[in-house]
Amino acid sequence: MKIDGMYKPLEEVSYNSIPYTRGPQGRINRRFAQFAAFQIRYRWFFIAGLAIFTFIGLAGLPRMTTNDNMDEWFNEYDTIEINTKRFEALFGNEDQVLVLIQADDVFDPGVLTMIRDLGAELLEKVPYARELRSLTDISISMGSDEGIEVRSPFEDGIPQAGPEMEEKRAYIMSRSSLVNMLVSDDCRETWLSLSLYSYEGENESREMYSVGQAAQKIITDPKWQNPKGGVAPYTLKPAGIAYTEWEENQTVMAETVKRIIGGFVVAILCLIVFTRSFRGIAVPVLTIIGGVGSVFGYMARLGIPADSNLMTLPILLSMALSIGYAIHLVNSFKFHFRRPGQWNFQRNSTSPNVSPRKEALIAAAGETGWPILFTAVTTMGGLLSFLFAGIGALRWVGVTSALTVFAVYLYVILLVPVLFSFGKPKKNVPDIPPGELSGNIETVPSVSPLEIYPSGTWIEQKFYRFGELLLKRRKPVILIAFLFIAAFIPGIFRMTVNLDYFSFMGKKIPYINRLAEIIDAKIGSLYTYTVMVNSGEPDFFKDPQKMRDLDSLAADLGALDLTKISGTRPRISSVTEIVKEMYRTLNSDDPAFYTIPDDPDLLAQLLFLYEISGGRDLFNRISEDFSTAVLTVELTGYDGNRIAKNVKAAEEAARTRFPEEDAAVVGMIASFAEMNNKVVYGELKSFAGSFLIIFIFLALVFRSIKTAFIGMIPNIAPVIIIGGIMGYAKIPLDMLTMTIMPMLLGIAVDDTIHFISHINLELERKKSYGQAVLDTFAKIGRTLGTTTIILCAMFAVYALSPIAMLFHVGVLAIIGMTSALLADYTLTPLLIYVLKPLRKRSYE
């Protein structure tokens, strides 16, 4: 029953009587409004408590340590990981520092002198340096008066150009195991390689970076870059996992920091434009600093390291959500602040003064506090689904991001009512007399706020009219929206899961161009995997037939599509090359004897002779008890799917040649290829879990399965559109793209929950579905658009990055958030209006 056009007064509540209905939504909103009134009354206590909490958290940041150990991406029981550890136990570190030297003639004495001196400096100054292999540091079998000796052609020094140099050149170029392996057949390219001891300590990635950093400092020294004193021109092109991973780390870190700072600055500029309020800017800034700083600070106090590869994701998410949460609350405050006196407060004479400002804050907290909490909980639930991905690094980012979301929510919900409660009353609006909010309050009218309050801004009126137009054209709008979304579905089936390193990083990065040039070189390659055959039987490979099987396996591996071919020769390193070279040397260097001898005793003698003659390569390719042999395969590039197929084919070939032995593929590249698929499919499961969690939350909160389905549509639509675009544009789905998807989902679900919650509240105020939709557009339509514009502006900074993966993140994020907003502006209100899923009851 109404009184003078108003609803019947509510009963008196324990602290502040708040003007909301007795319906479920109204009861929840009243609690948030009561808490806001409590905050305002004791605001100095809240300020002091939050300041102390923040200070303690930020004080923990100096203790923060980072962990970039790639082992976190693998389960210790993964097959490749197990076999790699076995390989390292036998042969040490598979990683190397490599330098491709290109010159008109690599046998020029000046070039050889440079190679010798550069190698010596690397061996001396690079951590974990083990031994060199280059034209000036190789072991070659040579005939002598006593038979065979293994020595370096330049161990007595580098001769000047002339007959002696030509003799050494001719002998090196006659070795089948060296031509188009160590040196190109045209003598214009050669490799310098520095093998490494196994990394020590718990964080192998950090040790690897130390190797890359030290090598980069040496190789880029100007003294090696500018030939002087008549030395023939040459170029140095460094490579190797340690070197390139260090370069990637520095490049990505610098670019990411630049984009985060740029996005932060753009967000502040947008906040200045849209809020025109110092406090409206201060709240998101303080929230980002306090929320992120406190989470990382307290984690540091607990001794939990941050994952340096993924720590930017919680920071990005906090920036996005702090802006979204703050704008919803601040804009709601402004909406009510422009409409003072809309409630009839009964006060007693002993209470303090309550200004329209504080009333507006209480109303704003009541209307937006619950939707903001609900969005935070659903986002946290979605992120915690990463716990089931089975990958340590993803578990860390899931928990950390969830904690960051919770911290952002707390800071926003505490800071806005407290900070905005300070200030003078609005001009030309009479202040409300002194009195405490402890009496009965009559509810707001059930008609449009634009009709009751002509002071509604033009943008609110525009959104109200937009809602009217939308309801009138609801059928064609719904049809067009679904047809538009459906157009992207075929593209999803064209998506591929892959990690092509050059496409992932992009050719605009200088070191990527250098790596591409190395790949294109005649003897150039960047990546390798190793096939390990373990018999468990000492002297197993002293059997000629087993050695021939190993040689046949090398031929099988050479036929795989990713194996690098230099000239006509597959780039595969094996102990069989040493045996064949020794057998040829023993037989007057006759090329016909470049084969495996049939006599087992002779084979054993050749191996023993190479060992005692000082040959350095033997036990890099076979174990000291001759039970385990390895073949190293060099690749033409890094394509995750193709590498995975080659690795599988290599394993099958090895098991075919050695059915009774333990054959496996090991190496970081094989692990990375396996990791991308594992991460993507693990994240897909987590992503599906996120949808399920959000669906359950929506169904429980709104007590309607139908409402939950409607609420999921604006969140599924961006995923379909992004997936379709990626499929049509042939952008592969990689681990970075999948890692940011839950972040976009968390942002998208924010607007949906606010829209449905406001409609539900208006329905409890006895409004029709149509009026509820129109009033919701008027109240929060601008806010939804504002938050999306600011977030898109932030991610536009990423779209300007020269790194392809960051560019894709920026573009896809903008597309995702824009499509989510359009779905919330159209499908969410129209489907609610048409299907009427919410319970419409009288709560008088």
Side-chain angles (χ1 to χ4, degrees):
M1 182 176 179
K2 296 182 180 179
I3 303 175
D4 296 330
M6 311 289 282
Y7 290 132
K8 183 178 179 179
L10 298 172
E11 77 280 10
E12 183 170 321
V13 293
S14 59
Y15 183 67
N16 291 333
S17 293
I18 307 299
Y20 293 107
T21 67
R22 294 194 184 101
Q25 184 81 54
R27 288 197 299 270
I28 294 172
N29 288 8
R30 183 186 293 115
R31 297 303 179 192
F32 279 90
Q34 288 173 332
F35 181 69
F38 179 78
Q39 284 178 260
I40 293 170
R41 185 172 183 179
Y42 298 102
R43 57 190 178 185
W44 286 110
F45 290 99
F46 279 93
I47 291 174
L50 194 60
I52 293 171
F53 174 83
T54 305
F55 176 80
I56 294 174
L58 296 179
L61 288 177
R63 303 182 186 181
M64 187 178 78
T65 58
T66 58
N67 179 18
D68 48 13
N69 193 350
M70 293 307 297
D71 287 345
E72 291 294 318
W73 292 90
F74 303 100
N75 187 300
E76 62 179 335
Y77 301 109
D78 285 348
T79 302
I80 292 180
E81 188 71 3
I82 293 172
N83 290 326
T84 298
K85 291 186 181 300
R86 288 170 54 190
F87 170 86
E88 291 175 350
L90 288 172
F91 300 101
N93 198 336
E94 63 154 347
D95 195 6
Q96 300 180 83
V97 174
L98 303 170
V99 184
L100 178 65
I101 297 103
Q102 295 177 313
D104 290 336
D105 181 7
V106 295
F107 285 95
D108 180 271
V111 174
L112 289 174
T113 300
M114 179 276 298
I115 293 174
R116 181 195 62 193
D117 296 345
L118 173 60
E121 187 170 350
L122 289 169
L123 188 63
E124 177 186 359
K125 297 182 179 179
V126 172
Y128 299 100
R130 183 180 178 185
E131 64 182 27
L132 287 168
R133 190 168 191 266
S134 70
L135 284 176
T136 60
D137 292 275
I138 50 173
S139 299
I140 302 178
S141 58
M142 299 180 179
S144 66
D145 294 337
E146 288 105 16
I148 299 179
E149 62 177 354
V150 180
R151 57 192 294 267
S152 169
F154 297 105
E155 65 181 13
D156 296 327
I158 298 172
Q160 294 300 312
E164 185 180 359
M165 176 62 77
E166 292 306 313
E167 180 183 351
K168 294 180 182 296
R169 178 208 298 265
Y171 192 78
I172 291 173
M173 298 305 293
S174 70
R175 302 297 93 185
S176 300
S177 60
L178 298 180
V179 176
N180 285 331
M181 290 292 290
L182 179 65
V183 59
S184 63
D185 54 13
D186 59 5
C187 299
R188 297 174 66 88
E189 299 175 5
T190 187
W191 280 107
L192 182 156
S193 63
L194 176 69
S195 63
L196 304 170
Y197 290 106
S198 295
Y199 299 130
E200 298 175 352
E202 296 181 358
N203 194 331
E204 291 188 4
S205 293
R206 190 168 299 167
E207 300 305 311
M208 178 179 66
Y209 290 151
S210 71
V211 169
Q213 183 180 17
Q216 185 186 56
K217 184 178 180 180
I218 294 169
I219 296 170
T220 58
D221 190 310
K223 70 181 179 181
W224 304 118
Q225 303 299 319
N226 301 302
K228 296 179 181 178
V231 176
Y234 61 82
T235 58
L236 304 180
K237 294 179 179 177
I241 295 296
Y243 196 98
T244 56
E245 285 293 309
W246 167 250
E247 285 184 305
E248 178 188 317
N249 177 270
Q250 295 303 294
T251 301
V252 173
M253 186 65 68
E255 190 64 23
T256 301
V257 170
K258 186 189 300 183
R259 299 301 150 185
I260 289 178
I261 294 174
F264 186 69
V265 171
V266 168
I268 291 177
L269 293 176
C270 290
L271 287 170
I272 292 173
V273 172
F274 287 108
T275 66
R276 288 173 288 180
S277 163
F278 173 76
R279 279 174 285 199
I281 300 169
V283 169
V285 172
L286 292 176
T287 298
I288 294 169
I289 296 173
V292 176
S294 296
V295 168
F296 282 98
Y298 282 106
M299 289 177 67
R301 288 182 178 277
L302 294 173
I304 302 173
D307 191 304
S308 62
N309 298 303
L310 295 174
M311 64 186 297
T312 56
L313 294 178
I315 296 173
L316 271 178
L317 188 61
S318 69
M319 290 171 61
L321 294 183
S322 64
I323 291 170
Y325 294 169
I327 287 181
H328 273 289
L329 197 47
V330 170
N331 279 3
S332 182
F333 158 71
K334 290 182 176 181
F335 181 90
H336 291 287
F337 194 40
R338 288 192 296 269
R339 296 158 174 82
Q342 57 184 298
W343 301 322
N344 181 23
F345 288 91
Q346 298 177 5
R347 300 182 169 88
N348 61 57
S349 58
T350 61
S351 65
N353 180 57
V354 178
S355 69
R357 173 180 292 276
K358 296 176 184 177
E359 289 184 28
L361 285 168
I362 293 169
E367 285 196 356
T368 61
W370 165 240
I372 293 175
L373 175 60
F374 188 23
T375 61
V377 171
T378 52
T379 303
M380 290 168 62
L383 290 167
L384 289 175
S385 66
F386 274 159
L387 290 173
F388 307 105
I391 299 172
L394 293 184
R395 287 195 291 267
W396 178 89
V397 78
V399 172
T400 304
S401 296
L403 291 173
T404 305
V405 171
F406 182 66
V408 164
Y409 167 76
L410 286 181
Y411 272 84
V412 169
I413 210 69
L414 294 177
L415 283 175
V416 171
V418 168
L419 294 184
F420 277 80
S421 66
F422 295 96
K424 298 179 181 180
K426 190 175 179 67
K427 292 182 179 180
N428 303 322
V429 176
D431 198 5
I432 297 176
E436 184 176 346
L437 301 175
S438 59
N440 292 333
I441 304 174
E442 297 185 29
T443 60
V444 297
S446 61
V447 294
S448 167
L450 297 177
E451 297 176 24
I452 294 295
Y453 308 116
S455 60
T457 64
W458 69 271
I459 192 68
E460 291 166 2
Q461 296 177 19
K462 291 293 183 183
F463 271 105
Y464 190 88
R465 301 307 173 199
F466 171 73
E468 289 181 325
L469 180 63
L470 203 63
L471 293 180
K472 290 179 182 178
R473 304 284 189 271
R474 55 186 177 275
K475 290 183 179 180
V477 170
I478 292 175
L479 179 61
I480 292 171
F482 277 113
L483 287 176
F484 179 77
I485 294 170
F488 291 93
I489 293 177
I492 294 177
F493 296 99
R494 300 184 184 183
M495 290 178 63
T496 58
V497 177
N498 194 19
L499 178 60
D500 183 327
Y501 187 73
F502 290 95
S503 298
F504 185 71
M505 293 297 295
K507 295 290 186 70
K508 295 181 180 180
I509 308 300
Y511 87 88
I512 295 295
N513 284 323
R514 187 190 75 241
L515 298 183
E517 291 173 357
I518 292 176
I519 287 286
D520 292 337
K522 177 171 283 191
I523 62 170
S525 68
L526 294 173
Y527 307 109
T528 66
Y529 64 83
T530 299
V531 178
M532 180 172 66
V533 180
N534 179 19
S535 68
E537 179 184 335
D539 295 333
F540 178 82
F541 283 103
K542 288 184 178 179
D543 181 342
Q545 184 55 50
K546 302 304 180 184
M547 193 66 78
R548 278 193 289 270
D549 289 341
L550 196 65
D551 203 36
S552 297
L553 176 57
D556 295 338
L557 300 177
L560 299 179
D561 66 311
L562 267 186
T563 301
K564 174 75 175 185
I565 306 295
S566 293
T568 59
R569 176 188 182 137
R571 294 184 61 80
I572 298 174
S573 300
S574 169
V575 66
T576 59
E577 296 174 326
I578 295 176
V579 172
K580 290 188 288 186
E581 285 286 6
M582 291 285 289
Y583 192 40
R584 172 182 171 177
T585 304
L586 185 64
N587 289 275
S588 304
D589 211 27
D590 185 349
F593 288 89
Y594 188 74
T595 185
I596 306 295
D598 294 325
D599 185 350
D601 291 334
L602 178 57
L603 174 59
Q605 290 175 14
L606 291 175
L607 292 171
F608 178 70
L609 182 59
Y610 186 88
E611 179 182 353
I612 64 172
S613 299
R616 294 180 297 176
D617 292 337
L618 181 63
F619 294 127
N620 292 328
R621 305 182 185 187
I622 197 166
S623 61
E624 293 185 8
D625 64 355
F626 299 96
S627 66
T628 304
V630 294
L631 300 93
T632 301
V633 183
E634 300 183 27
L635 305 175
T636 59
Y638 189 121
D639 181 308
N641 285 349
R642 293 176 66 194
I643 290 176
K645 290 178 181 178
N646 274 236
V647 165
K648 184 177 180 180
E651 289 177 337
E652 292 175 353
R655 288 171 185 148
T656 300
R657 296 291 180 182
F658 297 92
E660 303 297 327
E661 285 68 47
D662 183 10
V665 174
V666 302
M668 187 176 292
I669 294 304
S671 298
F672 280 172
E674 179 72 17
M675 178 183 71
N676 183 66
N677 287 344
K678 179 180 178 180
V679 170
V680 169
Y681 288 115
E683 288 177 337
L684 281 172
K685 294 178 183 178
S686 299
F687 197 44
S690 300
F691 276 111
L692 180 61
I693 290 170
I694 292 172
F695 176 82
I696 292 172
F697 282 172
L698 288 170
L700 291 175
V701 169
F702 294 111
R703 304 180 184 183
S704 169
I705 297 293
K706 193 185 295 185
T707 303
F709 275 112
I710 293 173
M712 291 306 298
I713 290 174
N715 301 293
I716 294 175
V719 176
I720 294 175
I721 292 172
I722 290 176
I725 290 173
M726 292 179 69
Y728 290 136
K730 298 182 179 180
I731 301 173
L733 189 63
D734 54 51
M735 55 188 180
L736 179 66
T737 310
M738 274 308 305
T739 304
I740 69 162
M741 284 296 184
M743 180 183 71
L744 297 180
L745 180 61
I747 297 170
V749 77
D750 185 358
D751 292 345
T752 304
I753 289 174
H754 277 282
F755 217 112
I756 297 177
S757 295
H758 276 79
I759 291 176
N760 194 39
L761 179 61
E762 299 303 328
L763 289 174
E764 288 187 2
R765 288 172 174 165
K766 293 184 67 176
K767 297 179 181 179
S768 66
Y769 267 96
Q771 192 63 57
V773 168
L774 296 179
D775 288 354
T776 299
F777 264 116
K779 284 187 176 181
I780 67 169
R782 174 188 178 183
T783 301
L784 301 186
T786 300
T787 56
T788 301
I789 290 172
I790 294 176
L791 295 178
C792 286
M794 286 174 54
F795 280 98
V797 176
Y798 281 78
L800 299 175
S801 173
I803 298 180
M805 64 175 178
L806 296 182
F807 168 79
H808 290 150
V809 166
V811 172
L812 295 176
I814 292 171
I815 293 171
M817 288 184 289
T818 302
S819 57
L821 177 66
L822 293 177
D824 278 318
Y825 273 166
T826 54
L827 290 177
T828 301
L830 291 181
L831 291 176
I832 289 176
Y833 178 78
V834 172
L835 299 177
K836 297 178 173 52
L838 298 167
R839 296 183 180 185
K840 189 174 183 297
R841 296 179 179 178
S842 174
Y843 293 104
E844 295 192 41

